[in-house]
Amino acid sequence: AFYSTLEERAWARRTAQRWGKRNILWSLAGSSVHKVWPHLDTVIAGIMLEYPDTHVVLVGDDFSRILEKGWEKEPRVLCRSGIWTIRESLAFAQVADVVIGSETGVLNAVGFDDVQKIVCLSHSSVNNLTRDWKNTISLTPEATPCYPCHKMHYNFDHCHQDEATGVAKCQADISPDLMW
């Protein structure tokens, strides 16, 4: 659980209200190679077309900024990777309408909060991670024989890499249609 301060909560509420009716916080990457979902652009484009009153806030560390490329000029996509602190990202996650991402600290921090969550599982199963989380949709790979591997992978020595996307096979096998 994450416990925001009164000041952090007030900042997060003001920020969310300034941006509008619906806010999605998207955590772009986690601490290992199997915590990046490659179909981000497809789903964000769909959100921009279908839900004109929605903002997507992209968060992550400095390395995640590469995943924001191409969205810098879209006013409803807010690129905050490497800009917001982890505490700011977590405070905003508590007031967002939906939080999306892989098995990251951001999703873990709000697992028991009421906010709606969509989690792309990679090394964990629903049973050993998200089963008891509140308001959570857990997406699992559609055809990955090694899922769930229950291992952290820091390179592709023992993690199956998807040739088409360059990310872990378990993440590539969670389709944009399934996310949508």
Side-chain angles (χ1 to χ4, degrees):
F2 171 70
Y3 300 98
S4 55
T5 66
L6 290 174
E7 294 82 12
E8 288 167 332
R9 281 193 294 281
W11 168 84
R13 279 196 228 69
R14 280 192 315 272
T15 302
Q17 288 170 349
R18 186 174 71 237
W19 285 336
K21 184 177 177 183
R22 291 189 187 125
N23 292 292
I24 297 170
L25 180 89
W26 203 309
S27 178
L28 295 176
S31 59
S32 50
V33 298
H34 51 86
K35 296 186 180 193
V36 176
W37 188 67
H39 310 294
L40 174 78
D41 292 340
T42 301
V43 174
I44 290 177
I47 292 168
M48 295 296 102
L49 292 171
E50 288 287 322
Y51 302 100
D53 61 348
T54 299
H55 286 81
V56 178
V57 184
L58 305 175
V59 297
D61 60 13
D62 282 332
F63 295 113
S64 297
R65 294 178 109 170
I66 189 95
L67 302 172
E68 297 176 340
K69 293 296 180 197
W71 292 109
E72 302 89 350
K73 294 183 181 178
E74 169 54 58
R76 292 180 295 137
V77 176
L78 303 144
C79 301
R80 295 299 183 261
S81 293
I83 297 170
W84 279 2
T85 66
I86 186 65
R87 291 194 67 86
E88 288 169 324
S89 295
L90 295 177
F92 194 85
Q94 291 179 319
V95 302
D97 297 290
V98 180
V99 178
I100 302 173
S102 58
E103 300 177 51
T104 67
V106 173
L107 275 294
N108 279 281
V110 295
F112 296 105
D113 290 350
D114 289 330
V115 64
Q116 298 288 322
K117 293 164 282 297
I118 301 173
V119 183
C120 294
L121 294 176
S122 59
H123 63 94
S124 300
S125 67
V126 170
N127 192 50
N128 68 10
L129 184 64
T130 57
R131 179 192 67 206
D132 299 320
W133 287 11
K134 289 181 165 183
N135 300 324
T136 303
I137 296 171
S138 301
L139 303 180
T140 59
E142 296 172 330
T144 308
C146 56
Y147 168 80
C149 65
H150 304 290
K151 298 175 186 173
M152 294 289 285
H153 299 282
Y154 300 103
N155 56 46
F156 287 106
D157 289 348
H158 301 288
C159 182
H160 297 94
Q161 188 173 20
D162 181 65
E163 288 182 31
T165 63
V167 303
K169 184 96 172 95
C170 59
Q171 290 297 282
D173 286 349
I174 298 173
S175 70
D177 289 339
L178 186 59
M179 174 66 77
W180 191 254

